[in-house]
Each structure stands twice: as structure tokens, then as C-alpha cells.
Amino acid sequence: MVKVQGFVNATPDYEEHHKVLNGFSDLMLDVFGDKGSHARSVFGAVSLRDQLPIIVDSIFQVEE
């Protein structure tokens, strides 16, 4: 796991976007162990396609 970027659908006054993405980060660590450690950024959005609550964009490095 290299990097995670999250977009959280929220009202303009919501300030805890990072806590929403914590669940995904915790899951990646549970699944991949130390290899699930990653850089991360999160953004708030007042509208996401199809009214999704969150969109997560991830970059993985795969070794053969």
C-alpha cells in the first residue's frame, strides 16, 4: 500500500473527515500488516457522485 486519498461527503461545517478515513486505514493495516502502512490525504466534499458517502482512491505497489 503506497497512498490513500479519500473524499468524504459532508456538510460545510463538518471538520472530522480524517476520522471517517481512519476506518479504511485501520482495515488496510489489519489485512496487510506492516505492508498496509501508507501515506494519506482526505478532503471534504459537499457533493459526490451518486450521493456516495465516501470515495477512496488507493495506490498499491505489487511485487512479483
Side-chain angles (χ1 to χ4, degrees):
M1 182 119 229
V2 177
K3 183 175 185 210
V4 171
Q5 188 173 33
F7 299 88
V8 179
N9 196 352
T11 59
D13 60 330
Y14 186 71
E15 297 180 352
E16 298 186 342
H17 307 93
H18 63 286
K19 291 183 179 179
V20 176
L21 201 56
N22 283 350
F24 180 81
S25 293
D26 292 345
L27 176 63
M28 293 299 100
L29 289 170
D30 287 348
V31 171
F32 297 111
D34 289 340
K35 291 184 179 186
S37 182
H38 53 272
R40 183 176 97 160
S41 56
V42 61
F43 304 94
V46 294
S47 177
L48 294 176
R49 68 178 172 81
D50 298 327
Q51 298 179 355
L52 293 171
I54 186 171
I55 295 175
V56 178
D57 180 27
S58 305
I59 299 172
F60 289 83
Q61 179 178 343
V62 180
E63 297 177 6
E64 292 184 37

